[in-house]
Amino acid sequence: MKIPPDLLPEGFRDRLPPQAEVAARVSRAMIDVLTSYGYARVAPAIAEFESALAERSGGAARNQHLRFTDPVSGHTLALRGDITVQVGRIATTRMQESPRPLRLCYHGQVLRLKAKQLRPERELTQLGAELIGNDSVAAACEIVGVAIDALEAAGVKDITIDFTLPDLVERLAEKALPLAPDKIDAVRSELDMKDAGGLSVLGADAYLPLLAATGPFDAAVEKLRAIDAGGALASRIQALESIAATVAGRANVTLDPTERHGFEYQSWFGFTIFAKGYSAALGRGGTYYIDRADGPSEAATGFSLYPDPLIDLAEESNVQRLFLPLGTDAATGAKLRSEGWVTVAALDENDSAAVLGCTHIWINGQAVTV
Amino acid sequence: MQAAGIEPEPAFFDESSRALLFATNNPAISIIRVRAFDVATFVAHGAAHIGIVGSDVIDEFDYSELYAPVDLGIGRCRISVAMPRDAVDDVQAGHIRVATKYPATTARYYHARGIQAECVKLNGAMELAPSLGLSGRIVDLVSSGKTLAENGLVETAIISHVSARLIVNRAAFKMMSGTIPALVQAFRELSGARAAA
């Protein structure tokens, strides 16, 4: 089949004016928040050796890289699908001697091998912050707070944060609510679907109350406390309450202790961010471990946002474009630009302010509305 | 639905009505009617917040954005493999071709058994496929088995048991945490009560 000329591959798109400008503005606003909290920016490479990238990626992401053969090395290269793993690599290799906790942030494009039916894009913007060397409650509080600040800076309102305990089932299955090791996966999968009937069929009735311990945080955490088997969860519940207290009033907090969508590699704490008007999650974060070749793995806390939906729905900023008619001298133009105007200079007498989308014209030393 | 406090407008029950969107007694809830195969898609994309659909459809699409919290216990049937009475079994047949409305479910079933199978996607009248040489087997919904028998087919394996489920969009479940979980709980209690009765 002949490829139609000038069409992009499925899942890729160009951003045109003013959307491209909006994208830069929204991203800048969020990055400024991250840097203001002391997160230093890193810009990892867009491609890496596939084997190294896959080894550091957890779960399904491992096979989701767009790959090609490097004519230089003869090895397979992969285009990055998640910047978090690259930041982990940087932190534990070239920056391994940097003092901990190490605060890093990033922004860039990531690529997917295949689009999901629900999200047809194969090129996504990813933006986030990682706090390396600490996965305490204090670290989680800071990360959740920074994530909310960043979204607010991008103009997002009515934020909902959903807390989860990614390793909950393993922890309970150990002792409190014993499960055969071969059943853990099946139980987690039924908990994922919130399928009460399926759990009963598996003989995991003891896990049923977990399904009810979801919803608005205060009520849900009480239910979780009520089923706290033998105190195995007491410290976790206390930690969740401290984190919830720091975001109180800034976001709705919900709890879903068994949620594990996108939490393949998180350890004790995870959160997902939703906001009114967006049908899918805007981002997620939590605590995790970064493997080190030279020693024990290192704890970390962080979050990633996928701001493309924000950019698509963001208000276009009200730009005032000033038309400079033929013959306007260069110094006048420079002065007006330094005052904050966007100037559009006429190149010949056929150019017109209206056609070029200008809001004002420079006439007799004054900006006149078109 | 009535027991959960949702009363659709009368047109919903009017078979001649061509409307697709119906009001209810609760101004915050309206009902849409779509093809069974599209219910999961509407809910997964967040176009509808909750839906009622067979577990066959949920398994086929395997959307990550769906919760299936309640087994309503109605519309029970099964997805089965059927083939002509004199066909060779899976092990002897070198190459298997299956006509089905459920290509993903079928592929998963054969994949788990290490059998190479090729699916022919049909939208209806699967039962004709073996007799006309389109495929050696079919995978389809079976309730009584009468249609199969009339077309000279025998049910050889059950892939899964099917019943109607209440499904909920994941983002809606979190963001409308004041209303949707309560509604789910109401459905769960009602279907539990019916199962006990």
Side-chain angles (χ1 to χ4, degrees), chain A residues 117-118 162 192-196 216 254 256 259 261 274-275 278-279, chain B residues 45 58 63-69 165 170-171 173-175 177 188:
Chain A
Q117 198 187 353
L118 295 178
D162 186 45
D192 259 359
M193 290 296 271
K194 305 213 180 302
D195 187 343
T254 57
D256 187 344
E259 177 65 66
H261 270 95
F274 299 92
Y278 303 97
S279 63
Chain B
H45 284 259
I58 303 172
Y63 283 121
S64 62
E65 293 301 304
L66 286 186
Y67 291 135
R165 304 290 164 98
R170 195 162 78 91
F173 190 87
K174 314 280 187 190
M175 281 189 287
S177 58
R188 188 177 279 152

PDB file of all heavy atoms in Angstrom, chain A residues 117-118 162 192-196 216 254 256 259 261 274-275 278-279, chain B residues 45 58 63-69 165 170-171 173-175 177 188:
ATOM      1  N   GLN A 117      -6.932   2.020  22.865  1.00  0.00           N
ATOM      2  CA  GLN A 117      -8.153   2.476  22.232  1.00  0.00           C
ATOM      3  C   GLN A 117      -8.691   3.739  22.912  1.00  0.00           C
ATOM      4  O   GLN A 117      -9.284   4.598  22.277  1.00  0.00           O
ATOM      5  CB  GLN A 117      -9.204   1.372  22.261  1.00  0.00           C
ATOM      6  CG  GLN A 117     -10.302   1.638  21.256  1.00  0.00           C
ATOM      7  CD  GLN A 117     -11.430   0.669  21.356  1.00  0.00           C
ATOM      8  OE1 GLN A 117     -11.374  -0.297  22.093  1.00  0.00           O
ATOM      9  NE2 GLN A 117     -12.487   0.923  20.618  1.00  0.00           N
ATOM     10  N   LEU A 118      -8.453   3.830  24.228  1.00  0.00           N
ATOM     11  CA  LEU A 118      -8.992   4.967  24.965  1.00  0.00           C
ATOM     12  C   LEU A 118      -8.130   6.200  24.802  1.00  0.00           C
ATOM     13  O   LEU A 118      -8.556   7.301  25.043  1.00  0.00           O
ATOM     14  CB  LEU A 118      -9.106   4.627  26.448  1.00  0.00           C
ATOM     15  CG  LEU A 118     -10.103   3.539  26.766  1.00  0.00           C
ATOM     16  CD1 LEU A 118     -10.103   3.241  28.239  1.00  0.00           C
ATOM     17  CD2 LEU A 118     -11.485   3.941  26.315  1.00  0.00           C
ATOM     18  N   ASP A 162      -6.812  10.349  44.515  1.00  0.00           N
ATOM     19  CA  ASP A 162      -7.223   9.033  44.975  1.00  0.00           C
ATOM     20  C   ASP A 162      -6.001   8.309  45.534  1.00  0.00           C
ATOM     21  O   ASP A 162      -5.050   8.051  44.807  1.00  0.00           O
ATOM     22  CB  ASP A 162      -7.814   8.276  43.783  1.00  0.00           C
ATOM     23  CG  ASP A 162      -8.409   6.952  44.198  1.00  0.00           C
ATOM     24  OD1 ASP A 162      -9.125   6.916  45.208  1.00  0.00           O
ATOM     25  OD2 ASP A 162      -8.152   5.954  43.511  1.00  0.00           O
ATOM     26  N   ASP A 192      -9.251  -5.505  41.293  1.00  0.00           N
ATOM     27  CA  ASP A 192      -9.140  -4.484  40.257  1.00  0.00           C
ATOM     28  C   ASP A 192     -10.480  -4.164  39.635  1.00  0.00           C
ATOM     29  O   ASP A 192     -10.795  -3.018  39.369  1.00  0.00           O
ATOM     30  CB  ASP A 192      -8.255  -5.016  39.118  1.00  0.00           C
ATOM     31  CG  ASP A 192      -6.863  -4.476  39.208  1.00  0.00           C
ATOM     32  OD1 ASP A 192      -6.604  -3.688  40.117  1.00  0.00           O
ATOM     33  OD2 ASP A 192      -6.049  -4.856  38.356  1.00  0.00           O
ATOM     34  N   MET A 193     -11.224  -5.219  39.343  1.00  0.00           N
ATOM     35  CA  MET A 193     -12.523  -5.037  38.694  1.00  0.00           C
ATOM     36  C   MET A 193     -13.598  -4.733  39.731  1.00  0.00           C
ATOM     37  O   MET A 193     -14.740  -4.531  39.394  1.00  0.00           O
ATOM     38  CB  MET A 193     -12.914  -6.300  37.925  1.00  0.00           C
ATOM     39  CG  MET A 193     -12.077  -6.557  36.694  1.00  0.00           C
ATOM     40  SD  MET A 193     -12.280  -5.269  35.458  1.00  0.00           S
ATOM     41  CE  MET A 193     -13.665  -5.897  34.507  1.00  0.00           C
ATOM     42  N   LYS A 194     -13.242  -4.738  40.997  1.00  0.00           N
ATOM     43  CA  LYS A 194     -14.183  -4.561  42.103  1.00  0.00           C
ATOM     44  C   LYS A 194     -15.316  -5.579  41.996  1.00  0.00           C
ATOM     45  O   LYS A 194     -16.479  -5.276  42.192  1.00  0.00           O
ATOM     46  CB  LYS A 194     -14.751  -3.138  42.109  1.00  0.00           C
ATOM     47  CG  LYS A 194     -13.680  -2.075  42.130  1.00  0.00           C
ATOM     48  CD  LYS A 194     -14.145  -0.859  42.897  1.00  0.00           C
ATOM     49  CE  LYS A 194     -13.079   0.207  42.927  1.00  0.00           C
ATOM     50  NZ  LYS A 194     -11.823  -0.272  43.533  1.00  0.00           N
ATOM     51  N   ASP A 195     -14.956  -6.792  41.614  1.00  0.00           N
ATOM     52  CA  ASP A 195     -15.941  -7.836  41.376  1.00  0.00           C
ATOM     53  C   ASP A 195     -16.122  -8.684  42.636  1.00  0.00           C
ATOM     54  O   ASP A 195     -15.332  -9.583  42.917  1.00  0.00           O
ATOM     55  CB  ASP A 195     -15.469  -8.696  40.200  1.00  0.00           C
ATOM     56  CG  ASP A 195     -16.520  -9.711  39.782  1.00  0.00           C
ATOM     57  OD1 ASP A 195     -17.451  -9.971  40.583  1.00  0.00           O
ATOM     58  OD2 ASP A 195     -16.409 -10.236  38.677  1.00  0.00           O
ATOM     59  N   ALA A 196     -17.173  -8.361  43.397  1.00  0.00           N
ATOM     60  CA  ALA A 196     -17.420  -9.053  44.658  1.00  0.00           C
ATOM     61  C   ALA A 196     -17.700 -10.533  44.416  1.00  0.00           C
ATOM     62  O   ALA A 196     -17.215 -11.405  45.136  1.00  0.00           O
ATOM     63  CB  ALA A 196     -18.589  -8.397  45.379  1.00  0.00           C
ATOM     64  N   PRO A 216     -14.947   8.588  49.574  1.00  0.00           N
ATOM     65  CA  PRO A 216     -14.417   9.745  50.295  1.00  0.00           C
ATOM     66  C   PRO A 216     -13.519   9.304  51.443  1.00  0.00           C
ATOM     67  O   PRO A 216     -13.846   8.361  52.170  1.00  0.00           O
ATOM     68  CB  PRO A 216     -15.673  10.448  50.791  1.00  0.00           C
ATOM     69  CG  PRO A 216     -16.732  10.051  49.829  1.00  0.00           C
ATOM     70  CD  PRO A 216     -16.396   8.654  49.392  1.00  0.00           C
ATOM     71  N   THR A 254      -9.917  10.850  48.014  1.00  0.00           N
ATOM     72  CA  THR A 254     -10.648   9.590  48.103  1.00  0.00           C
ATOM     73  C   THR A 254      -9.631   8.490  48.363  1.00  0.00           C
ATOM     74  O   THR A 254      -8.431   8.685  48.188  1.00  0.00           O
ATOM     75  CB  THR A 254     -11.422   9.289  46.802  1.00  0.00           C
ATOM     76  OG1 THR A 254     -10.503   9.282  45.717  1.00  0.00           O
ATOM     77  CG2 THR A 254     -12.491  10.326  46.540  1.00  0.00           C
ATOM     78  N   ASP A 256      -8.858   4.296  47.741  1.00  0.00           N
ATOM     79  CA  ASP A 256      -9.212   3.034  47.101  1.00  0.00           C
ATOM     80  C   ASP A 256      -8.034   2.101  47.353  1.00  0.00           C
ATOM     81  O   ASP A 256      -7.103   2.032  46.557  1.00  0.00           O
ATOM     82  CB  ASP A 256      -9.436   3.256  45.606  1.00  0.00           C
ATOM     83  CG  ASP A 256      -9.961   2.007  44.934  1.00  0.00           C
ATOM     84  OD1 ASP A 256      -9.859   0.926  45.559  1.00  0.00           O
ATOM     85  OD2 ASP A 256     -10.448   2.092  43.806  1.00  0.00           O
ATOM     86  N   GLU A 259      -6.624  -0.248  44.540  1.00  0.00           N
ATOM     87  CA  GLU A 259      -6.367   0.242  43.181  1.00  0.00           C
ATOM     88  C   GLU A 259      -4.930  -0.069  42.770  1.00  0.00           C
ATOM     89  O   GLU A 259      -4.003   0.150  43.536  1.00  0.00           O
ATOM     90  CB  GLU A 259      -6.586   1.752  43.154  1.00  0.00           C
ATOM     91  CG  GLU A 259      -6.297   2.406  41.833  1.00  0.00           C
ATOM     92  CD  GLU A 259      -7.247   1.952  40.752  1.00  0.00           C
ATOM     93  OE1 GLU A 259      -8.456   2.266  40.854  1.00  0.00           O
ATOM     94  OE2 GLU A 259      -6.785   1.265  39.838  1.00  0.00           O
ATOM     95  N   HIS A 261      -4.068   0.358  39.093  1.00  0.00           N
ATOM     96  CA  HIS A 261      -3.913   0.799  37.717  1.00  0.00           C
ATOM     97  C   HIS A 261      -2.697   1.682  37.595  1.00  0.00           C
ATOM     98  O   HIS A 261      -2.650   2.752  38.181  1.00  0.00           O
ATOM     99  CB  HIS A 261      -5.136   1.598  37.277  1.00  0.00           C
ATOM    100  CG  HIS A 261      -6.182   0.746  36.690  1.00  0.00           C
ATOM    101  ND1 HIS A 261      -7.228   0.261  37.415  1.00  0.00           N
ATOM    102  CD2 HIS A 261      -6.318   0.271  35.437  1.00  0.00           C
ATOM    103  CE1 HIS A 261      -7.985  -0.478  36.635  1.00  0.00           C
ATOM    104  NE2 HIS A 261      -7.458  -0.482  35.435  1.00  0.00           N
ATOM    105  N   PHE A 274      -7.234  13.092  39.445  1.00  0.00           N
ATOM    106  CA  PHE A 274      -8.329  13.343  38.506  1.00  0.00           C
ATOM    107  C   PHE A 274      -8.755  14.797  38.659  1.00  0.00           C
ATOM    108  O   PHE A 274      -8.479  15.415  39.678  1.00  0.00           O
ATOM    109  CB  PHE A 274      -9.537  12.464  38.828  1.00  0.00           C
ATOM    110  CG  PHE A 274      -9.267  10.997  38.742  1.00  0.00           C
ATOM    111  CD1 PHE A 274      -8.868  10.282  39.854  1.00  0.00           C
ATOM    112  CD2 PHE A 274      -9.428  10.327  37.541  1.00  0.00           C
ATOM    113  CE1 PHE A 274      -8.622   8.916  39.770  1.00  0.00           C
ATOM    114  CE2 PHE A 274      -9.191   8.980  37.447  1.00  0.00           C
ATOM    115  CZ  PHE A 274      -8.786   8.269  38.559  1.00  0.00           C
ATOM    116  N   ALA A 275      -9.438  15.326  37.666  1.00  0.00           N
ATOM    117  CA  ALA A 275     -10.011  16.658  37.831  1.00  0.00           C
ATOM    118  C   ALA A 275     -11.290  16.739  37.032  1.00  0.00           C
ATOM    119  O   ALA A 275     -11.456  16.035  36.026  1.00  0.00           O
ATOM    120  CB  ALA A 275      -9.039  17.735  37.384  1.00  0.00           C
ATOM    121  N   TYR A 278     -12.185  16.282  32.962  1.00  0.00           N
ATOM    122  CA  TYR A 278     -11.258  15.386  32.251  1.00  0.00           C
ATOM    123  C   TYR A 278     -11.686  13.951  32.519  1.00  0.00           C
ATOM    124  O   TYR A 278     -11.800  13.544  33.672  1.00  0.00           O
ATOM    125  CB  TYR A 278      -9.828  15.607  32.720  1.00  0.00           C
ATOM    126  CG  TYR A 278      -9.381  17.043  32.553  1.00  0.00           C
ATOM    127  CD1 TYR A 278      -9.427  17.930  33.616  1.00  0.00           C
ATOM    128  CD2 TYR A 278      -8.961  17.505  31.317  1.00  0.00           C
ATOM    129  CE1 TYR A 278      -9.059  19.259  33.455  1.00  0.00           C
ATOM    130  CE2 TYR A 278      -8.591  18.823  31.143  1.00  0.00           C
ATOM    131  CZ  TYR A 278      -8.634  19.694  32.215  1.00  0.00           C
ATOM    132  OH  TYR A 278      -8.281  20.992  32.051  1.00  0.00           O
ATOM    133  N   SER A 279     -11.904  13.185  31.433  1.00  0.00           N
ATOM    134  CA  SER A 279     -12.507  11.868  31.639  1.00  0.00           C
ATOM    135  C   SER A 279     -11.487  10.822  32.058  1.00  0.00           C
ATOM    136  O   SER A 279     -11.846   9.736  32.449  1.00  0.00           O
ATOM    137  CB  SER A 279     -13.240  11.426  30.375  1.00  0.00           C
ATOM    138  OG  SER A 279     -12.318  11.299  29.323  1.00  0.00           O
TER     139      SER A 279
ATOM    140  N   HIS B  45     -14.984   4.971  27.806  1.00  0.00           N
ATOM    141  CA  HIS B  45     -14.585   6.306  27.380  1.00  0.00           C
ATOM    142  C   HIS B  45     -15.173   7.398  28.255  1.00  0.00           C
ATOM    143  O   HIS B  45     -14.922   8.577  28.017  1.00  0.00           O
ATOM    144  CB  HIS B  45     -15.008   6.546  25.931  1.00  0.00           C
ATOM    145  CG  HIS B  45     -14.140   5.850  24.922  1.00  0.00           C
ATOM    146  ND1 HIS B  45     -13.168   6.490  24.220  1.00  0.00           N
ATOM    147  CD2 HIS B  45     -14.103   4.556  24.547  1.00  0.00           C
ATOM    148  CE1 HIS B  45     -12.561   5.626  23.420  1.00  0.00           C
ATOM    149  NE2 HIS B  45     -13.110   4.439  23.606  1.00  0.00           N
ATOM    150  N   ILE B  58     -17.480  -7.575  28.419  1.00  0.00           N
ATOM    151  CA  ILE B  58     -16.413  -7.018  29.260  1.00  0.00           C
ATOM    152  C   ILE B  58     -15.106  -7.762  28.999  1.00  0.00           C
ATOM    153  O   ILE B  58     -14.046  -7.172  28.821  1.00  0.00           O
ATOM    154  CB  ILE B  58     -16.785  -7.128  30.752  1.00  0.00           C
ATOM    155  CG1 ILE B  58     -18.119  -6.432  31.014  1.00  0.00           C
ATOM    156  CG2 ILE B  58     -15.693  -6.537  31.627  1.00  0.00           C
ATOM    157  CD1 ILE B  58     -18.652  -6.652  32.409  1.00  0.00           C
ATOM    158  N   TYR B  63     -11.225  -3.633  28.817  1.00  0.00           N
ATOM    159  CA  TYR B  63     -10.853  -2.234  29.041  1.00  0.00           C
ATOM    160  C   TYR B  63     -10.310  -2.059  30.446  1.00  0.00           C
ATOM    161  O   TYR B  63     -10.890  -2.546  31.411  1.00  0.00           O
ATOM    162  CB  TYR B  63     -12.085  -1.320  28.918  1.00  0.00           C
ATOM    163  CG  TYR B  63     -12.525  -1.059  27.518  1.00  0.00           C
ATOM    164  CD1 TYR B  63     -13.800  -1.391  27.108  1.00  0.00           C
ATOM    165  CD2 TYR B  63     -11.683  -0.437  26.612  1.00  0.00           C
ATOM    166  CE1 TYR B  63     -14.235  -1.126  25.825  1.00  0.00           C
ATOM    167  CE2 TYR B  63     -12.106  -0.170  25.321  1.00  0.00           C
ATOM    168  CZ  TYR B  63     -13.380  -0.509  24.931  1.00  0.00           C
ATOM    169  OH  TYR B  63     -13.793  -0.243  23.670  1.00  0.00           O
ATOM    170  N   SER B  64      -9.202  -1.305  30.561  1.00  0.00           N
ATOM    171  CA  SER B  64      -8.650  -1.100  31.898  1.00  0.00           C
ATOM    172  C   SER B  64      -9.430  -0.034  32.654  1.00  0.00           C
ATOM    173  O   SER B  64      -9.279   0.105  33.860  1.00  0.00           O
ATOM    174  CB  SER B  64      -7.191  -0.695  31.791  1.00  0.00           C
ATOM    175  OG  SER B  64      -7.104   0.533  31.097  1.00  0.00           O
ATOM    176  N   GLU B  65     -10.263   0.742  31.967  1.00  0.00           N
ATOM    177  CA  GLU B  65     -10.946   1.848  32.634  1.00  0.00           C
ATOM    178  C   GLU B  65     -12.289   1.447  33.241  1.00  0.00           C
ATOM    179  O   GLU B  65     -13.080   2.300  33.599  1.00  0.00           O
ATOM    180  CB  GLU B  65     -11.177   3.003  31.651  1.00  0.00           C
ATOM    181  CG  GLU B  65      -9.902   3.672  31.189  1.00  0.00           C
ATOM    182  CD  GLU B  65      -9.096   4.254  32.333  1.00  0.00           C
ATOM    183  OE1 GLU B  65      -9.653   5.069  33.093  1.00  0.00           O
ATOM    184  OE2 GLU B  65      -7.928   3.881  32.487  1.00  0.00           O
ATOM    185  N   LEU B  66     -12.543   0.144  33.304  1.00  0.00           N
ATOM    186  CA  LEU B  66     -13.848  -0.305  33.782  1.00  0.00           C
ATOM    187  C   LEU B  66     -13.747  -1.026  35.114  1.00  0.00           C
ATOM    188  O   LEU B  66     -12.809  -1.771  35.346  1.00  0.00           O
ATOM    189  CB  LEU B  66     -14.447  -1.320  32.804  1.00  0.00           C
ATOM    190  CG  LEU B  66     -14.990  -0.824  31.493  1.00  0.00           C
ATOM    191  CD1 LEU B  66     -15.661  -1.981  30.784  1.00  0.00           C
ATOM    192  CD2 LEU B  66     -15.978   0.294  31.716  1.00  0.00           C
ATOM    193  N   TYR B  67     -14.741  -0.783  35.953  1.00  0.00           N
ATOM    194  CA  TYR B  67     -14.960  -1.647  37.102  1.00  0.00           C
ATOM    195  C   TYR B  67     -16.203  -2.475  36.806  1.00  0.00           C
ATOM    196  O   TYR B  67     -17.149  -1.963  36.230  1.00  0.00           O
ATOM    197  CB  TYR B  67     -15.245  -0.833  38.354  1.00  0.00           C
ATOM    198  CG  TYR B  67     -14.084  -0.047  38.873  1.00  0.00           C
ATOM    199  CD1 TYR B  67     -14.251   1.267  39.271  1.00  0.00           C
ATOM    200  CD2 TYR B  67     -12.832  -0.625  38.982  1.00  0.00           C
ATOM    201  CE1 TYR B  67     -13.190   1.993  39.766  1.00  0.00           C
ATOM    202  CE2 TYR B  67     -11.770   0.095  39.477  1.00  0.00           C
ATOM    203  CZ  TYR B  67     -11.948   1.399  39.872  1.00  0.00           C
ATOM    204  OH  TYR B  67     -10.910   2.118  40.358  1.00  0.00           O
ATOM    205  N   ALA B  68     -16.221  -3.714  37.245  1.00  0.00           N
ATOM    206  CA  ALA B  68     -17.429  -4.532  37.112  1.00  0.00           C
ATOM    207  C   ALA B  68     -17.810  -4.989  38.510  1.00  0.00           C
ATOM    208  O   ALA B  68     -17.581  -6.130  38.880  1.00  0.00           O
ATOM    209  CB  ALA B  68     -17.165  -5.712  36.196  1.00  0.00           C
ATOM    210  N   PRO B  69     -18.339  -4.087  39.320  1.00  0.00           N
ATOM    211  CA  PRO B  69     -18.461  -4.387  40.736  1.00  0.00           C
ATOM    212  C   PRO B  69     -19.615  -5.325  41.105  1.00  0.00           C
ATOM    213  O   PRO B  69     -19.578  -5.919  42.167  1.00  0.00           O
ATOM    214  CB  PRO B  69     -18.650  -3.011  41.384  1.00  0.00           C
ATOM    215  CG  PRO B  69     -19.206  -2.154  40.310  1.00  0.00           C
ATOM    216  CD  PRO B  69     -18.735  -2.700  39.008  1.00  0.00           C
ATOM    217  N   ARG B 165     -23.586  -7.761  34.154  1.00  0.00           N
ATOM    218  CA  ARG B 165     -22.832  -7.061  35.206  1.00  0.00           C
ATOM    219  C   ARG B 165     -23.167  -5.582  35.172  1.00  0.00           C
ATOM    220  O   ARG B 165     -23.432  -5.023  34.101  1.00  0.00           O
ATOM    221  CB  ARG B 165     -21.317  -7.195  34.978  1.00  0.00           C
ATOM    222  CG  ARG B 165     -20.806  -8.602  34.868  1.00  0.00           C
ATOM    223  CD  ARG B 165     -20.872  -9.309  36.195  1.00  0.00           C
ATOM    224  NE  ARG B 165     -20.735 -10.740  36.024  1.00  0.00           N
ATOM    225  CZ  ARG B 165     -19.595 -11.396  36.185  1.00  0.00           C
ATOM    226  NH1 ARG B 165     -18.514 -10.745  36.520  1.00  0.00           N
ATOM    227  NH2 ARG B 165     -19.548 -12.697  36.023  1.00  0.00           N
ATOM    228  N   ARG B 170     -13.998   4.180  35.664  1.00  0.00           N
ATOM    229  CA  ARG B 170     -13.064   4.321  36.772  1.00  0.00           C
ATOM    230  C   ARG B 170     -12.966   5.768  37.251  1.00  0.00           C
ATOM    231  O   ARG B 170     -13.051   6.047  38.445  1.00  0.00           O
ATOM    232  CB  ARG B 170     -11.685   3.854  36.305  1.00  0.00           C
ATOM    233  CG  ARG B 170     -10.709   3.603  37.391  1.00  0.00           C
ATOM    234  CD  ARG B 170      -9.579   2.741  36.859  1.00  0.00           C
ATOM    235  NE  ARG B 170      -8.649   3.508  36.070  1.00  0.00           N
ATOM    236  CZ  ARG B 170      -7.570   4.100  36.590  1.00  0.00           C
ATOM    237  NH1 ARG B 170      -7.328   4.010  37.866  1.00  0.00           N
ATOM    238  NH2 ARG B 170      -6.765   4.772  35.826  1.00  0.00           N
ATOM    239  N   ALA B 171     -12.797   6.710  36.322  1.00  0.00           N
ATOM    240  CA  ALA B 171     -12.653   8.112  36.723  1.00  0.00           C
ATOM    241  C   ALA B 171     -13.939   8.617  37.367  1.00  0.00           C
ATOM    242  O   ALA B 171     -13.907   9.353  38.356  1.00  0.00           O
ATOM    243  CB  ALA B 171     -12.279   8.969  35.520  1.00  0.00           C
ATOM    244  N   PHE B 173     -16.112   6.844  39.013  1.00  0.00           N
ATOM    245  CA  PHE B 173     -16.233   6.234  40.340  1.00  0.00           C
ATOM    246  C   PHE B 173     -15.476   7.055  41.382  1.00  0.00           C
ATOM    247  O   PHE B 173     -15.914   7.206  42.515  1.00  0.00           O
ATOM    248  CB  PHE B 173     -15.690   4.800  40.285  1.00  0.00           C
ATOM    249  CG  PHE B 173     -15.957   3.977  41.512  1.00  0.00           C
ATOM    250  CD1 PHE B 173     -17.142   3.275  41.645  1.00  0.00           C
ATOM    251  CD2 PHE B 173     -15.028   3.909  42.540  1.00  0.00           C
ATOM    252  CE1 PHE B 173     -17.385   2.509  42.768  1.00  0.00           C
ATOM    253  CE2 PHE B 173     -15.265   3.151  43.672  1.00  0.00           C
ATOM    254  CZ  PHE B 173     -16.445   2.446  43.778  1.00  0.00           C
ATOM    255  N   LYS B 174     -14.308   7.601  40.979  1.00  0.00           N
ATOM    256  CA  LYS B 174     -13.511   8.390  41.923  1.00  0.00           C
ATOM    257  C   LYS B 174     -14.068   9.793  42.079  1.00  0.00           C
ATOM    258  O   LYS B 174     -14.145  10.324  43.177  1.00  0.00           O
ATOM    259  CB  LYS B 174     -12.076   8.533  41.422  1.00  0.00           C
ATOM    260  CG  LYS B 174     -11.444   7.283  40.931  1.00  0.00           C
ATOM    261  CD  LYS B 174     -10.943   6.452  42.058  1.00  0.00           C
ATOM    262  CE  LYS B 174     -10.171   5.283  41.482  1.00  0.00           C
ATOM    263  NZ  LYS B 174      -9.838   4.300  42.446  1.00  0.00           N
ATOM    264  N   MET B 175     -14.419  10.407  40.932  1.00  0.00           N
ATOM    265  CA  MET B 175     -14.766  11.822  41.006  1.00  0.00           C
ATOM    266  C   MET B 175     -16.177  12.030  41.522  1.00  0.00           C
ATOM    267  O   MET B 175     -16.468  13.047  42.126  1.00  0.00           O
ATOM    268  CB  MET B 175     -14.586  12.481  39.648  1.00  0.00           C
ATOM    269  CG  MET B 175     -13.125  12.788  39.396  1.00  0.00           C
ATOM    270  SD  MET B 175     -12.895  13.773  37.942  1.00  0.00           S
ATOM    271  CE  MET B 175     -13.210  12.607  36.658  1.00  0.00           C
ATOM    272  N   SER B 177     -17.610  10.428  43.911  1.00  0.00           N
ATOM    273  CA  SER B 177     -17.547   9.484  45.019  1.00  0.00           C
ATOM    274  C   SER B 177     -18.705   9.667  45.989  1.00  0.00           C
ATOM    275  O   SER B 177     -18.938   8.832  46.848  1.00  0.00           O
ATOM    276  CB  SER B 177     -16.211   9.620  45.753  1.00  0.00           C
ATOM    277  OG  SER B 177     -16.060  10.939  46.227  1.00  0.00           O
ATOM    278  N   ARG B 188     -25.683  -3.871  44.556  1.00  0.00           N
ATOM    279  CA  ARG B 188     -25.061  -5.067  45.111  1.00  0.00           C
ATOM    280  C   ARG B 188     -25.983  -5.728  46.124  1.00  0.00           C
ATOM    281  O   ARG B 188     -26.182  -6.938  46.100  1.00  0.00           O
ATOM    282  CB  ARG B 188     -23.731  -4.690  45.763  1.00  0.00           C
ATOM    283  CG  ARG B 188     -22.896  -5.869  46.198  1.00  0.00           C
ATOM    284  CD  ARG B 188     -21.574  -5.419  46.770  1.00  0.00           C
ATOM    285  NE  ARG B 188     -20.612  -5.111  45.725  1.00  0.00           N
ATOM    286  CZ  ARG B 188     -19.621  -4.230  45.847  1.00  0.00           C
ATOM    287  NH1 ARG B 188     -19.466  -3.558  46.961  1.00  0.00           N
ATOM    288  NH2 ARG B 188     -18.790  -4.017  44.849  1.00  0.00           N
TER     289      ARG B 188
END
